[in-house]
Amino acid sequence: MPAKGWVDEAWRLAFIIGAWVLVGLVFGYPLESALLGLTMYAMRQLYNIRRLVHWLNDPNTDQIPIHGGVWGDLYARFSRNFAQQEQRERRLRTLLEQFQSSAAALPDAVVALGPYDEIRWMNQAAEDLLGLRHHSDYGRPMVNLFRAPAFRQYLEARNFDQTLELTAPGRDQRQLSLRAVPYGQQLLLVIVQDVTERYRVERLRRDFVANVSHELRTPLTVISGFVENMQADGDMCPVPWRRPLALIADQTARMQQIVEDLLLLARLEGGERNLRHEGVDVAEMLQTLAGEARLLAPQGPQVSLKIDSDWFLDADPGLLRSAVSNLVVNAIHHTPAGGEIVLHWVDEPDASCIIVEDSGEGIAPEHIPRLTERFYRVDTGRSRERGGTGLGLAIVKHILQVHDARLEIASTPGEGSQFICRFPERCRADPAKPLAHLANVKDNYAQSTS
Ligand code: ADP
């Protein structure tokens, strides 16, 4: 016990002083003798301090120099602390080894990055998937070794909520899905998965749907052509055939629409390569769409415009118009006469939004997450009745995706819905500064007309 060490030490001091005073009394110098005793005691303590410092430089808990008194207590305390620390370290080391061996066994590549995105650790799969090398690549920035521009941008953007899908640099056949997870202080764990097989299956499905749709196009055109001819020629169409022919014409038109929608979806999913980039005047586009909506349903809901942004959008004008038009037509179908539809163009701190808002029947919350799935309808019968294919919102979502934008849906049953097309800042185009290639087109036009 520490108190006992102190008591022993105090007794020892008292004994030394007493003994030296007694010896001093014998020789007639008690004070000087006590002083000599104290000096020797102090020197002994200095020697003990030196031994302690020496021992602390290389503490060996099995070889403690002093066992009794206050020094013994001190050594015992230090030894206990060192033993506990050693035990903690051993436990941590075991944990780390277990973590490293389980991470090493993962089929996904795992790379730990330091504050400067330098490699600190990686597992075996990182060597195979990313072409990195154990140990020799440690300390080097990962972007210099895994050279994909998309990965560099992903790290620079520091927005790690999203997953990055990319082709492995130098290996065109390999598709990777990459996610960075921040941890600790400015540290990152980069996890990369090989999704080549999933890509292949997705491409097969996409190609299959596109091929089937493409093959159906010609027979449908032939059928609808004959039906139209028969309907137009009164002699070829006896009265009992008129109704079945009208039904055939309706269903053929519906199938043609589905085929066209599926082909457009396949194009968008395949990452539309012929995307045009123009500075689209959104205010003007919404004004035209509002006019068309009023013509489409003259007795329907009131359609109004709200323009709170001066920006243009860097977008493909045809696709953008088709997406917003889809939303406006849906709003008309789901809003009764007397209701209101507002087309709103507005800026937010880091985005610009086209909002199509209606005061119609609204959508129950359980349907909202599924609305952009192909062929998902809240009321299939009603949708079919008015010629809906159930592909409209899937197309809107994909059109926005190829523009780096996203669709958000908010709705309250009985009160109305909001379909928000959110375009990030980088999609904005300054009306005063035409996009670079547009300026070229205009220059060429000016030259050819001058
Ligand atoms: P559809 O061809 O059926 O219109 P969409 O993909 O365009 O297919 O829409 C999917 C479903 O979403 C619709 O069937 C409808 O139930 C619902 N929906 C879309 N827009 C609205 C809206 N403005 N108000 C209420 N429901 C809507």
Side-chain angles (χ1 to χ4, degrees), residues 330 334 358 363 371 376-378 383 386 388-390 392-393 419:
N330 273 351
H334 296 279
D358 66 61
I363 307 158
L371 287 182
Y376 188 85
R377 289 109 148 181
V378 176
S383 161
R386 55 170 185 75
T389 59
L393 290 180
F419 289 79

Side-chain angles (χ1 to χ4, degrees), residues 96-307:
L96 194 70
E97 275 165 16
Q98 279 172 353
F99 164 76
Q100 288 193 341
S101 54
S102 55
L106 278 176
D108 299 342
V110 182
V111 186
L113 301 185
Y116 303 102
D117 293 340
E118 78 281 9
I119 299 177
R120 286 200 168 173
W121 179 85
M122 70 178 83
N123 67 353
Q124 180 60 44
E127 284 199 288
D128 307 337
L129 267 187
L130 312 177
L132 302 174
R133 279 165 306 157
H134 253 295
H135 302 294
S136 57
D137 284 344
Y138 285 8
R140 299 172 66 188
M142 186 170 166
V143 280
N144 292 353
L145 303 164
F146 181 68
R147 301 176 73 89
F151 176 58
R152 183 181 282 274
Q153 282 166 12
Y154 179 76
L155 279 191
E156 280 170 3
R158 263 12 219 186
N159 174 11
F160 300 126
D161 295 341
Q162 291 183 354
T163 306
L164 173 70
E165 306 250 312
L166 75 169
T167 308
R171 298 187 209 175
D172 289 352
Q173 300 304 316
R174 187 173 266 182
Q175 287 298 325
L176 303 175
S177 169
L178 181 150
R179 176 95 200 252
V181 187
Y183 73 101
Q185 288 197 332
Q186 295 179 300
L187 305 177
L188 273 184
L189 203 61
V190 178
I191 303 160
V192 188
Q193 212 183 357
D194 186 348
V195 289
T196 313
E197 187 54 23
R198 198 188 78 203
Y199 252 65
R200 202 181 63 81
V201 174
E202 264 176 29
R203 190 163 355 104
L204 272 179
R205 177 190 60 77
R206 215 169 42 231
D207 290 351
F208 173 76
V209 174
N211 289 339
V212 169
S213 310
H214 201 74
E215 291 299 324
L216 283 174
R217 235 182 186 174
T218 316
L220 283 172
T221 313
V222 173
I223 295 172
S224 78
F226 275 121
V227 172
E228 263 176 42
N229 282 347
M230 287 170 79
Q231 281 178 317
D233 187 339
D235 295 341
M236 275 175 76
C237 186
V239 179
W241 278 90
R242 287 196 185 147
R243 197 174 135 61
L245 272 181
L247 280 175
I248 293 173
D250 273 0
Q251 294 304 318
T252 315
R254 228 173 76 75
M255 279 172 76
Q256 279 178 315
Q257 189 55 54
I258 292 177
V259 164
E260 292 310 319
D261 283 357
L262 283 174
L263 282 170
L264 174 59
L265 264 176
R267 245 175 65 207
L268 292 167
E269 268 190 324
E272 172 60 287
R273 273 178 244 288
N274 299 322
L275 199 68
R276 282 170 62 193
H277 282 274
E278 291 188 14
V280 179
D281 183 346
V282 179
E284 191 186 308
M285 183 189 79
L286 292 185
Q287 200 170 13
T288 313
L289 286 174
E292 286 174 8
R294 287 182 201 116
L295 284 177
L296 186 73
Q299 311 299 329
Q302 189 192 328
V303 183
S304 55
L305 270 182
K306 219 166 141 195
I307 305 297

Side-chain angles (χ1 to χ4, degrees), residues 365-423:
E366 66 270 22
H367 294 297
I368 292 180
R370 301 198 57 192
L371 287 182
T372 54
E373 287 175 18
R374 280 145 219 248
F375 299 112
Y376 188 85
R377 289 109 148 181
V378 176
D379 183 339
T380 312
R382 247 181 73 193
S383 161
R384 284 212 181 108
E385 251 171 51
R386 55 170 185 75
T389 59
L391 293 168
L393 290 180
I395 291 176
V396 173
K397 181 179 107 174
H398 278 91
I399 290 180
L400 293 182
Q401 263 173 10
V402 295
H403 284 90
D404 266 354
R406 62 169 200 270
L407 177 69
E408 290 168 9
I409 306 171
S411 186
T412 313
E415 288 184 18
S417 314
Q418 265 194 339
F419 289 79
I420 304 162
C421 311
R422 191 179 296 280
F423 292 85

